[in-house]
Amino acid sequence: METYTKTNETHLMSDLSVDTVDTEKHVENVDDKIKKYFTCNVCGQKFYQKLLLKTHFQTHTKVKPYSCIVSNKEFSQEGDLKVHSRIHAKEKPYSCEVCLKDFSCKSNLNKHYRTHTNEKPFSCDVCHKDFSRKSNLNVHFLTHTNEKPFSCDVCGKKCSRQGDLKVHYRIHTKEKPYSCDVCHKAYCRKSQLNVHYRTHTKEKPYFCDACHKKFSRKSHLNVHFRTHTNEKPFSCDMCGKKFSSKGDLKVHFRIHTKEKPFSCDVCGKTHSRKGELKVHYRIHTNEKPFSCHVCHKEFSRKIHLNVHFQTHTNEKPFSCDVCGKKFSRKGDLKVHYRIHTKEKPYSCDVCHKHFSHRNHLNLHYRTHTNEKPFSCDVCGKGFSQRGSLARHYRIHSDEKPYSRDVCNEEFSLKSHLNRHFRTHIIEKPPEDNASLDSHLHT
């Protein structure tokens, strides 16, 4: 067996004391009849060259002789420094042959490529869940051990990884070191920037193998897939209602806590969902981004467009089993059914009046807040309901859609027509009068 000259190397240990380590004691020279290899007796990793083992051993001794001249970050291997320097040089020499995405490190390309092949070579030996990255497996494994050794010294939150604690700490410091080079929006996590960037590239690398719908985020795919499995793993501990996503449960819980953390900076109205605030804001901007391709009518909400479109198809697949009335939406049928059950699940927390429809409660609540989110762009008068604004606007447009076939007099409001019709009823005997509705038309 080949003999090597033993050399002592001095390493600075983690306890800041200087120890003399005999490198040769950590090297096992083995002749397996084919090749000689050297095994690290700390982690068991094997090398065919002694020099590679010595370089690797620096990862255990914490020696980092190579440092970046830009960020001063230190590395134990020169190759790691070389790869790191590409971050500053914006150099990305490795490209994915499927989607052409570029990477600064070949290992990152290999990991990315698994998103296309759906390869998951790392498996949890407890629950057998598979992962495409070893780091993801390591983090997942902590869910079994419930180990969270790192804690925030500001709020006390515990994290399973030191990197997660570092990212979490940016909540307190408001630090956002990652910015989009297209729109310059800043993020505290690099992963958030990567996901955001797909809004510009329209990249959707994750697809459902059941319906082939594509997604820009894997988490969105996971939540979507539960629509096929009907899985609802998150449940409310107050009412027991189950949800397919943790975010939906969090939003639902605000019903019990009455929390509405999102407020409109125009009228001050608060909302429990950020999406609701975004949609509400269109009342002030009059933005209507959804358009019907049949009649080109525009809507502020997609759901309103979907309901409207059924006026063209006349499709009403949902029918009431009590009175037979048909509806285009299942939700409308559910609300209608309350007419028969007399159910009024929505109550005003001011006067305790009950309503069968949530929209009716919202409209009623404005009588207490005196909120008038709809204003006339001619005279500036405010209204609590959009319909009231539409009726008021006829004063300026001189529109009179209601008329009577007896005297042909026209009115802008149906209530005015009804009041006028009473003058004809007074003039004639009751037996000569036809019903009120037979004389009304629009």
Side-chain angles (χ1 to χ4, degrees), residues 307 310 327-337 357:
V307 172
Q310 289 167 344
F327 298 88
S328 56
R329 293 193 305 170
K330 191 175 182 179
D332 292 340
L333 171 61
K334 185 178 179 181
V335 171
H336 159 80
Y337 203 71
H357 201 293

Side-chain angles (χ1 to χ4, degrees), residues 58-224:
Q58 291 173 343
T59 62
H60 300 301
T61 60
K62 308 298 182 184
V63 175
K64 296 182 178 180
Y66 307 99
S67 63
C68 175
I69 61 174
V70 178
S71 61
N72 295 323
K73 189 173 182 180
E74 296 178 337
F75 300 88
S76 59
Q77 299 185 30
E78 188 176 9
D80 293 339
L81 172 60
K82 184 177 179 181
V83 171
H84 164 80
S85 63
R86 292 175 187 150
I87 297 174
H88 305 296
K90 306 292 185 183
E91 182 185 356
K92 296 181 178 181
Y94 304 100
S95 178
C96 175
E97 60 184 15
V98 178
C99 64
L100 304 180
K101 188 174 182 180
D102 296 324
F103 297 88
S104 59
C105 182
K106 191 173 183 179
S107 61
N108 290 343
L109 170 60
N110 294 337
K111 293 172 186 175
H112 159 82
Y113 197 72
R114 291 174 190 149
T115 62
H116 301 297
T117 63
N118 202 29
E119 180 189 3
K120 296 179 179 180
F122 306 100
S123 177
C124 175
D125 55 6
V126 177
C127 65
H128 306 294
K129 188 174 182 180
D130 296 325
F131 297 88
S132 59
R133 299 187 179 210
K134 191 174 182 180
S135 59
N136 293 344
L137 170 60
N138 294 337
V139 172
H140 159 80
F141 195 75
L142 295 172
T143 62
H144 298 297
T145 62
N146 202 29
E147 181 185 0
K148 294 182 178 180
F150 307 100
S151 62
C152 176
D153 56 3
V154 177
C155 66
K157 184 176 180 179
K158 294 184 177 181
C159 303
S160 56
R161 295 192 304 173
Q162 190 172 13
D164 292 340
L165 174 60
K166 183 179 178 181
V167 171
H168 159 79
Y169 201 71
R170 292 173 186 152
I171 296 174
H172 305 296
T173 62
K174 308 296 182 183
E175 182 189 4
K176 294 182 178 180
Y178 306 101
S179 64
C180 175
D181 55 6
V182 178
C183 64
H184 307 295
K185 191 172 182 180
Y187 296 88
C188 61
R189 292 175 180 255
K190 191 174 183 180
S191 59
Q192 291 173 343
L193 172 60
N194 293 338
V195 170
H196 159 79
Y197 199 71
R198 292 174 189 149
T199 61
H200 301 297
T201 63
K202 307 298 181 184
E203 181 190 4
K204 295 181 178 181
Y206 307 101
F207 68 92
C208 174
D209 53 9
C211 64
H212 305 293
K213 188 175 181 180
K214 295 182 177 181
F215 299 87
S216 59
R217 299 188 183 202
K218 192 172 184 181
S219 59
H220 292 174
L221 170 60
N222 293 339
V223 172
H224 160 80

Side-chain angles (χ1 to χ4, degrees), residues 394-407:
R394 293 173 191 149
I395 297 173
H396 303 295
S397 64
D398 203 31
E399 181 188 1
K400 297 179 179 181
Y402 304 100
S403 64
R404 186 170 184 268
D405 56 3
V406 175
C407 62

